Amino acid sequence: MSGLLPRRAGTSGLMLQVVLATLPGLVALLIVFGMGVLLTVALAVLGAVLAEAFALWLRGRSIRLGLGDGSAIVTGLLLGLALPPLLPAGLTLLGAGLAILLGKHVYGGLGQNPFNPAMVGYAILLVSFPVEMTTWVAPAQLLTDGGAGLFDAGAVIFAGLSPDAFTGPTPLDDFKYREGLTAAEWQADSGLGGRFAGEGWEWVNLGFLAGGLYLLRRRLFSWHAPVGMLAALALCAAAFWDGGSSSSPGSPLFHLLSGGTMLGAFFIVTDPVSGAATPRGRLLFGMGVGILVYVIRAYGGYPDAVAFAVLLMNAAAPMIDAYTRPRTYGHTAPNKSNDP
Amino acid sequence: MVAADFDSRLHALPRSLDLPANKARTRALAIEDAAVPERLRLPLGLYDGRLATPCVDVGQKVRRGEVIARGANALDAAVHASTSGRIRNVAEGPLPCIELEADGMDTAVDPAPMENWRDSARPALLARLAEAGLAGLGGAGFPTAAKLAAADAIDLLIINAAECEPLLTADERLLTEQALEVVAGIKIAAHLTGSRRVVIAIEDDKSEAIAAVRLALRDHPFELAIIPRGYPSGSERQLVQMLTGREVPSGLLPVAMGILCHNVASVWAMGRAVIEGQALTERIVTVTGAALLRPGNLRVRLGTPVGDLLGARGVDEELLAGIRLGGPLTGRPVTDRRLPVGKTDAGVLAAGAFELAPAGAELACIRCGACAEVCPAGLLPQELHRQARAADLHALKALNLADCIECGACAWVCPSRIPLVDDYRKGKQAVAAEASRQAAAEHARWRHERRERRLEQERHASEAARESRLSRVDAALARAKAAKQQRQQGS
């Protein structure tokens, strides 16, 4: 017995719920990384909405209806939450615009995109502007001096002031290049180890986890994709953890609460459009993302991996769908036809 | 003997929809007679799109219960005048029907009960059911006689009183008030199918009807299955699954498994046709909806226009979101209020917005999968939607479109307000059109090839004939030559 969605919620109602659910994570980001977060998120939403309106106008669609479903706002919001808080304004606008134009409308708009638009925007920025995209605000410093206020952040984001005064490596990055330290030594020496996973980031991840659990409770999506991703990531991390030697890729808890893990698990891999269609398919889809996140973090050259892992699995989703169709009533075998 | 409760385990449906029943307004209301309208429209369309042929003339006077049209097959359900009056018109167009002007007398033909029906031959009983106009009153409208004629090895007869669709209480009231008559009908159905087991299935929220059935079943070996509420438990295939744990194979009917399902109103009509000798000229209809002022369960003459029924009970046009003939999920939308109540229509709704599937500007499908979570057939409605819009018939077949039972659960939960069932109906029509086009092409090819073969044969034959003619000429010449030589030698 299941009616998945609250009746009459409507697609725009769903989008509103998603926006609300990002609030705990957003607040954690603000506390940890300062006001730049708010500016970047606002810019990303603005860029996404402008691009959406432009694309709808180009395509002769109703701008009111197209913006009314709220999907562009969600795309911009999720991209903004994933970007470095002091990213120059132009790049944020560019990423958000490309997310909508190249991630969504070139495929025919809402519901047609094979890739997660926010992750398309993120990946384009990451490969095009690797330096800016890996310049993160240092959380430890912020916690001691109160961090980059609105004025400082604005100066960096809009006026091109150097962000050097505020920046530092992320725990994921620093842990990876810790040069011979054991995990325990890094935890003690780096100042980035945090209480249990990584200074500041652990709270951000817990914030997104809380918002995600709220959405799960409201039954906006099923548990399959997030649980698949988190379980696969934790299992991989546990298998290679080796107790934290100098070559250990990090503990399961460290991976679960670092970088974009929780934002990805509850707000990105749950995107129904670019994910798999059935519960079983979603479980596989999430597991694939989890495994790829671990592989890229442990062995790849990028500091975080959620965007690439999601995009790769997006490409695999149609094939997952073809092999996970439910058995139709009155048929003896599951529907394995590859045709559509 | 005591009515035996269903003694097998019930099997839960893997997917179903928990809908607000919205039945409280009418479930306790006793059945009343609806007024006989001044003008009735009796549809000629049969269950499969064929038309019954009128056997009356315009201007002819008819009495209630008189046959006015018949189908081509002997077991097709006949069409009857549902009151006395004069035939005004035989209308064609989108709704082919016979228009009858009531004379207000409501005189009926004499009933012809079959008192010793148990001793009657099976063909005679089936003929009576067809002649009395019996068709499945639960929705499909399949002729009852034809259904029974095809059922000779039945192990399980299911009487479907689930009535799972919101708002409808017609079957529930029928059972509550006329359980004995229903049971009499069941006896006939059981007799005709020779079924060892008869199960009456009813949803668990109909306590009054359940009590009435229990009482009526006291001296009968029929079982009562009280099934959990969940849409669409009253769908034939889902009901078979619940009661037996088996699925009806795709493309087949339950009869292929030795199971026959009859709607409870259909068996009631069977009893009336055989025991009382009455033709099917009326049915119980729940007239309700948030926009209806005085809802009720009405005994309605077939052919009564929707507008007459609604008008008599008062419609709040401000609240009205849509009129439906049938239930809120599977009913037909009515735009022309002259549309008549037919044999399969258990409801006439003047529905408020919250009682219908969400309407309004359709948004894009975001593949959220809510539809697939509730699809009782285990389909992927979101994929079917995409392929139906793309008119990809091949993909539609691969996604098992043919197994869609059009229950409307998917459209009900769709957050983008997509009228999914409309897509599937169009898709099915396109698939059927393509199949018939292919069959026609195949037939044309076959005829062409046959013609080519015939021409070839004729060519062979004419050549052979020419050769044999030539050889006859040669032979004659040779004979002439030989004769000449003989003559020369002789001279």
Side-chain angles (χ1 to χ4, degrees):
Chain A
M1 306 287 154
S2 61
L4 174 71
L5 296 158
R7 178 95 165 91
R8 313 287 182 219
T11 294
S12 38
L14 303 186
M15 299 293 177
L16 184 67
Q17 300 272 338
V18 174
V19 172
L20 285 177
T22 58
L23 286 180
L26 178 65
V27 169
L29 277 170
L30 273 176
I31 293 171
V32 175
F33 298 112
M35 294 306 282
V37 172
L38 210 55
L39 291 174
T40 298
V41 166
L43 280 169
V45 170
L46 178 71
V49 168
L50 287 178
E52 177 82 20
F54 173 66
L56 290 168
W57 172 75
L58 266 188
R59 298 176 60 208
R61 302 294 172 92
S62 159
I63 294 178
R64 194 181 56 80
L65 264 185
L67 287 180
D69 64 41
S71 63
I73 295 172
V74 169
T75 299
L77 173 66
L78 295 180
L79 176 66
L81 292 172
L83 291 175
L86 294 181
L87 193 68
L91 296 191
T92 303
L93 287 171
L94 180 72
L98 292 180
I100 294 293
L101 297 176
L102 294 187
K104 180 173 166 190
H105 276 286
V106 290
Y107 298 107
L110 181 64
Q112 307 293 326
N113 46 297
F115 297 101
N116 185 306
M119 292 300 100
V120 169
Y122 186 92
I124 292 174
L125 289 180
L126 183 56
V127 295
S128 310
F129 306 97
V131 176
E132 290 85 345
M133 284 294 285
T134 49
T135 304
W136 266 89
V137 176
Q141 187 189 1
L142 288 173
L143 289 178
T144 47
D145 356 322
L150 199 57
F151 182 78
D152 295 331
V156 174
I157 291 173
F158 293 108
L161 212 72
S162 163
D164 290 351
F166 307 105
T167 58
T170 66
L172 265 178
D173 222 10
D174 199 57
F175 183 82
K176 185 163 183 171
Y177 302 107
R178 65 188 183 276
E179 292 171 357
L181 299 179
T182 66
E185 285 163 355
W186 176 81
Q187 181 85 13
D189 296 352
S190 69
L192 288 174
R195 207 174 280 262
F196 32 77
E199 188 68 54
W201 287 92
E202 55 202 17
W203 300 112
V204 171
N205 273 283
L206 288 173
F208 286 122
L209 172 64
L213 291 178
Y214 164 76
L215 291 181
L216 201 54
R217 196 178 151 64
R218 297 298 304 262
R219 311 191 71 180
L220 255 72
F221 45 72
S222 67
W223 55 267
H224 301 83
V227 168
M229 171 180 163
L230 297 177
L233 178 60
L235 278 177
C236 288
F240 296 94
W241 163 229
D242 78 10
S245 75
S246 59
S247 59
S248 167
S251 74
L253 191 63
F254 178 71
H255 278 284
L256 286 179
L257 295 181
S258 283
T261 303
M262 291 297 170
L263 180 65
F266 290 98
F267 295 88
I268 304 293
V269 304
T270 50
D271 171 29
V273 177
S274 54
T278 62
R280 208 152 53 89
R282 286 174 183 157
L283 192 64
L284 289 173
F285 176 83
M287 287 165 63
V289 172
I291 292 169
L292 284 171
V293 164
Y294 184 77
V295 169
I296 298 174
R297 278 183 185 172
Y299 310 108
Y302 285 100
D304 198 359
V306 173
F308 291 118
V310 167
L311 292 174
L312 284 169
M313 288 312 292
N314 284 160
M319 195 182 72
I320 295 177
D321 282 348
Y323 285 97
T324 51
R325 291 215 187 96
R327 185 182 61 80
T328 306
Y329 178 103
H331 290 252
T332 47
N335 188 352
K336 284 273 169 62
S337 160
N338 285 325
D339 270 320
Chain B
M1 199 157 38
V2 178
D5 272 5
F6 187 59
D7 58 359
S8 311
R9 194 167 62 86
L10 285 173
H11 303 260
L13 295 178
R15 281 167 297 269
S16 67
L17 182 58
D18 190 9
L19 289 172
N22 291 339
K23 296 185 195 244
R25 272 183 94 196
T26 55
R27 101 171 342 149
L29 299 178
I31 298 169
E32 335 164 35
D33 282 314
V36 179
E38 285 168 15
R39 212 177 174 95
L40 300 93
R41 304 170 96 206
L42 295 146
L44 292 171
L46 299 173
Y47 73 103
D48 56 358
R50 289 178 299 126
L51 293 182
T53 312
C55 51
V56 287
D57 297 317
V58 172
Q60 187 177 329
K61 286 190 78 166
V62 291
R63 286 172 298 165
R64 179 182 183 190
E66 210 167 297
V67 175
I68 56 174
R70 279 197 176 84
N73 301 340
L75 296 179
D76 275 337
V79 181
H80 298 81
S82 47
T83 185
S84 61
R86 203 178 281 278
I87 305 293
R88 276 296 164 210
N89 189 19
V90 177
E92 289 166 7
L95 180 78
C97 63
I98 292 179
E99 290 179 17
L100 172 63
E101 191 179 272
D103 61 12
M105 312 293 289
D106 204 26
T107 44
V109 295
D110 293 332
M114 295 172 83
E115 266 126 28
N116 301 315
W117 59 268
R118 275 183 193 281
D119 304 326
S120 302
R122 185 180 158 85
L125 271 172
L126 293 179
R128 161 58 58 92
L129 296 178
E131 188 65 13
L134 261 63
L137 303 189
F142 195 83
T144 304
K147 189 168 177 176
L148 286 164
D152 46 5
I154 296 301
D155 304 318
L156 174 61
L157 174 64
I158 298 173
I159 306 302
N160 185 350
E163 202 167 49
C164 59
E165 215 168 334
L167 293 170
L168 302 183
T169 53
D171 289 350
E172 185 176 350
R173 283 315 301 179
L174 178 68
L175 272 178
T176 306
E177 297 178 28
Q178 304 195 32
L180 285 172
E181 288 84 343
V182 170
V183 170
I186 296 175
K187 279 193 262 182
I188 298 168
H191 172 72
L192 279 168
T193 54
S195 175
R196 286 184 285 109
R197 229 179 140 184
V198 179
V199 177
I200 302 152
I202 185 164
E203 277 195 342
D204 57 13
D205 63 337
K206 302 170 177 49
S207 47
E208 212 185 335
I210 291 170
V213 176
R214 277 232 167 87
L215 203 63
L217 284 185
R218 258 182 324 187
D219 299 320
H220 300 284
F222 307 145
E223 296 162 51
L224 179 63
I226 297 165
I227 58 176
R229 237 170 57 74
Y231 186 82
S233 66
S235 154
E236 184 170 86
R237 283 165 190 265
Q238 276 56 46
L239 194 53
V240 167
Q241 188 178 19
M242 274 189 155
L243 295 180
T244 68
R246 293 157 69 203
E247 295 178 9
V248 184
S250 175
L252 298 179
L253 293 169
V255 67
M257 312 161 70
I259 298 174
L260 205 67
C261 293
H262 273 296
N263 170 264
V264 64
S266 306
V267 290
W268 165 79
M270 257 184 241
R272 296 242 307 169
V274 173
I275 299 167
E276 295 172 34
Q278 302 269 15
L280 181 64
T281 56
E282 63 188 15
R283 69 157 297 149
I284 317 293
V285 178
T286 304
V287 184
T288 187
L292 197 73
L293 302 181
R294 278 171 294 117
N297 299 294
L298 306 183
R299 199 175 289 110
V300 176
R301 296 298 168 89
L302 299 177
T304 302
V306 167
D308 286 46
L309 277 177
L310 295 180
R313 315 295 290 194
V315 174
D316 182 340
E317 301 285 342
E318 301 262 301
L319 274 178
L320 186 67
I323 300 176
R324 292 286 183 279
L325 204 44
L329 281 90
T330 63
R332 288 174 287 156
V334 175
T335 46
D336 181 348
R337 296 191 189 185
R338 290 172 305 167
L339 212 65
V341 170
K343 293 177 182 174
T344 59
D345 301 317
V348 171
L349 310 180
F354 70 94
E355 291 171 324
L356 299 176
E362 174 189 324
L363 300 177
C365 169
I366 54 166
R367 304 198 340 135
C368 69
C371 47
E373 300 249 348
V374 299
C375 178
L379 299 168
L380 291 174
Q382 72 275 46
E383 300 289 316
L384 283 169
H385 158 70
R386 204 156 58 98
Q387 303 297 355
R389 292 280 167 100
D392 186 338
L393 305 185
H394 193 65
L396 285 176
K397 273 190 264 183
L399 288 165
N400 297 332
L401 174 64
D403 292 295
C404 168
I405 58 170
E406 300 180 18
C407 68
C410 50
W412 190 268
V413 299
C414 178
S416 290
R417 304 189 290 255
I418 303 171
L420 292 159
V421 183
D422 291 353
D423 285 354
Y424 308 149
R425 289 206 186 106
K426 279 181 205 140
K428 282 180 180 173
Q429 278 163 11
V431 169
E434 172 66 15
S436 78
R437 202 186 59 76
Q438 258 175 15
E442 192 65 23
H443 186 64
R445 196 170 63 85
W446 174 77
R447 278 183 22 176
H448 175 73
E449 281 174 357
R450 204 178 54 161
R451 180 167 177 274
E452 291 284 296
R453 250 195 332 272
R454 199 190 67 226
L455 291 179
E456 182 79 358
Q457 276 166 1
E458 281 172 5
R459 216 164 30 243
H460 276 304
S462 73
E463 265 173 34
R466 194 163 134 259
E467 268 169 28
S468 83
R469 209 163 49 239
L470 286 177
S471 63
R472 279 205 307 277
V473 170
D474 287 346
L477 282 174
R479 276 199 308 276
K481 223 182 211 167
K484 198 174 173 188
Q485 276 174 356
Q486 252 177 6
R487 274 204 304 278
Q488 280 170 352
Q489 281 165 3
S491 63

